[in-house]
Amino acid sequence: MSVTANRESRMERRYRRLLALYPKDHRREHAEEMVGVLLAADGDAPVRAPNPAAWARRFGRHTADMADLAGGALRIRGRVALNRIRRTRWLSVTVRDRRWSDALSVVSVIAPLLLLIAALTEFRIPQAVASSITGHPHWGVSATLGLADLPMAAGAPGVILLVFLGLRRLAALGALATAIGQIAAGAVPAFAGYADPAVAFTVLLSCTAAVALLFSPGPDRGLALLTRSGTALVGAGALILGGFSLGGDAWSAGQVAGLPADLLIAAVLITAAAACLRGPVSRRALALLAIPVIPYAFLWQEKLAADLFGQPGDGSAVIPSSIPLLYLPPLLLASLILTGTWFARRRAGERDRQVGSATSGPRSAMSA
Amino acid sequence: MQEPTFLILTALAAGAQHGYGIMTDVARISDGRVRLRAGTLYAALDRLKADGLVTGDKEEVVDGRLRRYYRITDEGTAKLAAEVRRLRANAAVAACRLGLAGGTA
């Protein structure tokens, strides 16, 4: 066997091993032609006398081909998985509704924005800004980064960057990875982190962002609905919330501007909710954003109780947070949204059928 | 429309081609700037087939290797034509603002 044939069979084996990453159906249909294309491209490259530079070039080309093959498998598998989720009845019913789809678009802008601000609070950046504005000497920027902070510190800016680049699905996967990263970080020590409302808030916010990015027409549509001034208002509101409230170990390090800050946070939340109640799309966006905001409310009442009755972290919270209390209400709300839209859709379908039979009835009688 | 998609549809607009033919044609059309690799090409073809813009054509065996040809559908042609119109309009405005010959806006 010649040297070229030997190299070809070695490469073919490597390519075939990588093709195992592709879904079975795709492999059955395209594996042979893909191997043919890869070997043809390989054979087309200039073959020179063996020297280190030529070897390095060939090695680089093969590595790039293999990375590209793995990337292609990931893209196809991602698309297959996404289509499978989209075909499920519950989701397709919700997403087909124009008002819900618009609300998801709005949330696909707001949730990554909130995620970024929540990540900044890990470094106390909004708190330091709020501190300098109010003159309350409570926070300075913190540069410490623990292992548990990594998913948010890397994930949130990554999601925003991908949204900005228009890579909506990748951004959704990034948000999902951020949620999974936080869940993994919370598992050490086992489950201790999950009962923390700040963790529950960021985990659920990441999940909400992922769902909105995956199942909405995208942030472009959301920005068109929000308008620039609306987006700026949301950003300002989120900065106020971040500046005076949440963030990792915020509670053990002292009060954050005391009772006036609690009232300011409540005022921002109530104003935002009242403004959202006016329109059908914003009402739906409010319902979707309420999913992560429920644990945030727990965080708020813990701070309020500490400001009114005692020291932070001394267990003076009116409602002590626990895993069921933090995660069950958001889960119930999500289930309510899905069942509500399903029933609404079914009612609309029945109404359409009744109207259809009412209008076709006389016509068929006339034709008969 | 992303550039690789545009170039694949452009390559197929001239007639049905097999995978390797599309790769070399895309490199030629883009003057060597875009070099598609097999993973990217087949992920794009998979998506374009699912969207109904491209469909499978004939198959042949050359030197013991399978070659499958792909061709652009009517929907794909319409989409490519719409993209050409959009790019042409944008280019015309840009050319006009830069004071280049051929600008119309």
Side-chain angles (χ1 to χ4, degrees):
Chain A
M1 194 182 272
S2 71
V3 177
T4 316
N6 238 336
R7 192 163 65 87
E8 195 170 294
S9 65
R10 198 174 65 240
M11 288 315 300
E12 182 171 346
R13 276 200 303 275
R14 282 185 193 165
Y15 290 140
R16 282 193 188 281
R17 269 202 296 273
L18 270 174
L19 284 170
L21 295 173
Y22 282 76
K24 207 171 171 183
D25 289 345
H26 190 276
R27 221 163 48 224
R28 194 181 305 128
E29 202 179 331
H30 296 293
E32 288 310 316
E33 55 172 315
M34 283 177 83
V35 169
V37 166
L38 283 159
L39 291 175
D42 209 30
D44 227 25
V47 178
R48 293 187 186 135
N51 65 54
W55 181 87
R57 266 198 300 276
R58 206 169 52 237
F59 178 76
R61 202 178 54 246
H62 288 158
T63 311
D65 273 343
M66 288 192 203
D68 185 63
L69 264 186
L74 207 68
R75 282 197 290 275
I76 290 174
R77 279 196 179 274
R79 202 161 39 242
V80 168
L82 187 63
N83 286 342
R84 202 168 286 159
I85 297 169
R86 275 188 174 154
R87 277 198 299 270
T88 58
R89 193 171 165 74
W90 292 97
L91 272 170
S92 59
V93 161
T94 304
V95 177
R96 258 188 258 135
D97 185 312
R98 184 58 188 256
R99 290 165 303 183
W100 278 108
S101 134
D102 279 351
L104 279 165
S105 304
V106 170
V107 173
S108 75
V109 175
I110 297 176
L113 194 67
L114 290 179
L115 204 60
L116 182 69
I117 289 170
L120 291 179
T121 60
E122 298 284 337
F123 302 99
R124 302 182 193 161
I125 294 169
Q127 290 98 321
V129 174
S131 191
S132 66
I133 293 170
T134 59
H136 193 286
H138 56 273
W139 290 121
V141 173
S142 159
T144 55
L145 179 67
L147 193 65
D149 304 326
L150 263 180
M152 275 296 279
V159 170
I160 284 282
L161 183 70
L162 290 168
V163 166
F164 188 73
L165 292 174
L167 302 168
R168 178 168 62 90
R169 291 192 181 98
L170 267 184
L173 289 178
L176 209 60
T178 308
I180 292 168
Q182 290 173 84
I183 290 166
V188 188
F191 299 107
Y194 304 137
D196 182 346
V199 172
F201 168 62
T202 48
V203 166
L204 291 172
L205 187 60
S206 307
C207 293
T208 309
V211 168
L213 284 163
L214 268 184
F215 299 108
S216 72
D220 285 348
R221 171 78 183 148
L223 277 172
L225 289 164
L226 263 176
T227 69
R228 261 185 212 169
S229 55
T231 313
L233 271 176
V234 168
L239 272 174
I240 293 173
L241 296 182
F244 291 103
S245 58
L246 66 137
D249 54 355
W251 310 110
S252 58
Q255 290 175 336
V256 186
L259 195 61
D262 305 339
L263 299 178
L264 184 64
I265 292 167
V268 169
L269 287 176
I270 291 168
T271 310
C276 284
L277 285 174
R278 287 184 301 177
V281 172
S282 55
R283 265 201 304 274
R284 284 163 174 80
L286 178 68
L288 291 168
L289 284 169
I291 293 170
V293 169
I294 290 171
Y296 183 87
F298 274 94
L299 200 62
W300 177 81
Q301 63 90 28
E302 275 187 5
K303 175 170 153 50
L304 179 71
D307 287 335
L308 286 176
F309 311 120
Q311 292 302 307
D314 66 355
S316 57
V318 180
I319 312 168
S321 52
S322 63
I323 293 174
L325 271 179
L326 287 175
Y327 292 92
L328 271 182
L331 205 67
L332 272 174
L333 178 59
S335 312
L336 262 175
I337 290 172
L338 285 171
T339 43
T341 48
W342 184 72
F343 276 117
R345 187 90 192 171
R346 215 170 73 156
R347 264 209 314 274
E350 277 169 11
R351 221 174 18 244
D352 287 350
R353 271 197 299 277
Q354 277 167 8
V355 170
S357 60
T359 49
S360 65
R363 203 176 297 148
S364 53
M366 277 167 75
S367 60
Chain B
M1 189 183 284
Q2 290 181 344
E3 194 178 15
T5 309
F6 179 82
L7 291 172
I8 291 170
L9 290 178
T10 305
L12 293 176
Q17 295 205 55
H18 54 80
Y20 186 60
I22 298 172
M23 277 163 75
T24 49
D25 204 12
V26 162
R28 197 166 43 239
I29 294 165
S30 66
D31 209 13
R33 201 171 37 78
V34 177
R35 289 192 177 277
L36 289 179
R37 293 181 187 279
T40 306
L41 172 68
Y42 279 91
L45 283 175
D46 190 63
R47 179 169 44 81
L48 291 170
K49 271 168 73 180
D51 292 346
L53 306 183
V54 158
T55 186
D57 203 73
K58 63 178 181 179
E59 288 177 12
E60 62 182 21
V61 176
V62 177
D63 295 334
R65 300 271 178 212
L66 176 74
R67 270 185 182 175
R68 183 173 285 127
Y69 284 73
Y70 296 89
R71 65 177 170 78
I72 193 167
T73 61
D74 291 345
E75 202 182 337
T77 308
K79 190 136 186 180
L80 180 63
E83 187 65 8
V84 168
R85 278 194 295 274
R86 191 184 70 82
L87 290 173
R88 192 177 281 161
N90 286 351
V93 174
C96 177
R97 293 191 178 180
L98 288 169
L100 302 173
T104 54

